[in-house]
Amino acid sequence: MTKAREWSDEEKQWMTDKLSYVPETGDLVWKEGASIFNNRVRAVGSVAGTINYHGYLIIGRWLEGKVNQYRLHRIVWFLNYGEVPSILDHINGNKLDNRVENLRPTTTALNLRNQKPRKNSHSKYKGVYYDKKNDSYRTAIRINHKYIHIGRIKFEKEAAEMYDKWVEENLTPLEREYAKTNKELGLL
């Protein structure tokens, strides 16, 4: 996870002048026609943003001869609080839900707890990995840059249940606030 670039005072002023936050939806709308790329003008009141390849809403702007991209959830936080933390988390895991009450400052370690299972995994469950050598499913979690082996079991669903139980019993209340179990993700 890369640390976000600091915005200049000119960029912050541009955001304040050009964008307005809609609390009910979490949308940003253009206050006035703003030329962004290729002299295209956005209509006043139109919703700002497009989805990038990571699934976040972004806007882009020419600045000093290059295009700078801004993630909308960071702009939402800035417009509401006047600053932007290094890392912001979408509490419900929906990258398109930019309502300010769905955002919270966090650390990299805590934000990683909020992840869903990886798409390229051999298991559909979070914290479960297929061990081809032993023809079983292994459960593990990463805490403070160390993998903690939870257990190994023959059946995938039981491994997911083992992971969930470990998370519920062993994480601190703060870690637990961020960590979603397979059941909470709707996988069990």
Side-chain angles (χ1 to χ4, degrees):
M1 192 169 299
T2 312
K3 184 178 177 184
R5 177 181 65 82
E6 290 280 329
W7 296 335
S8 70
D9 289 340
E10 190 269 333
E11 289 172 290
K12 292 175 184 176
Q13 189 62 52
W14 179 84
M15 291 172 197
T16 304
D17 292 345
K18 302 288 185 184
L19 296 163
S20 181
Y21 173 65
V22 181
E24 298 79 24
T25 61
D27 290 332
L28 290 176
V29 295
W30 296 107
K31 286 183 183 177
E32 57 185 69
S35 177
I36 308 302
F37 294 115
N38 304 326
N39 295 321
R40 294 186 312 207
V41 177
R42 306 293 187 215
V44 175
S46 65
V47 176
T50 187
I51 300 172
N52 73 0
Y53 60 94
H54 291 296
Y56 291 97
L57 282 167
I58 62 163
I59 59 171
R61 173 180 178 235
W62 279 104
L63 183 67
E64 298 173 1
K66 66 177 185 172
V67 175
N68 285 303
Q69 292 185 349
Y70 306 92
R71 290 186 177 182
L72 265 61
H73 64 285
R74 300 182 62 72
I75 299 173
V76 165
W77 190 271
F78 167 72
L79 292 176
N80 280 275
Y81 298 109
E83 61 181 17
V84 183
S86 296
I87 301 173
L88 276 174
D89 175 44
H90 288 83
I91 296 168
N92 67 6
N94 180 352
K95 296 175 184 179
L96 302 177
D97 183 354
N98 292 322
R99 292 172 298 123
V100 74
E101 61 267 19
N102 186 45
L103 302 174
R104 62 183 166 194
T106 189
T107 65
T108 300
L110 288 172
N111 199 32
L112 290 173
R113 301 238 182 287
N114 214 5
Q115 287 184 335
K116 296 177 175 102
R118 299 204 180 272
K119 291 179 181 169
N120 61 352
S121 174
H122 291 284
S123 173
K124 65 180 179 179
Y125 298 110
K126 182 176 181 180
V128 176
Y129 312 91
Y130 180 66
D131 182 351
K132 189 175 181 179
K133 180 180 174 186
N134 294 307
D135 190 30
S136 63
Y137 289 90
R138 183 174 70 88
T139 57
I141 190 167
R142 188 174 181 164
I143 297 178
N144 297 328
H145 307 289
K146 295 180 184 176
Y147 279 99
I148 297 173
H149 174 76
I150 298 170
R152 189 182 311 272
I153 199 161
K154 186 74 175 166
F155 300 104
E156 185 180 23
K157 184 177 179 185
E158 290 176 5
E161 291 167 348
M162 182 188 305
Y163 172 86
D164 286 4
K165 183 178 181 199
W166 193 94
V167 164
E168 290 166 356
E169 293 176 354
N170 292 284
L171 294 183
T172 67
L174 179 61
E175 290 172 324
R176 185 65 188 97
E177 185 179 319
Y178 283 81
K180 296 215 181 345
T181 62
N182 288 291
K183 186 174 184 179
E184 291 166 339
L185 290 170
L187 301 172
L188 281 177

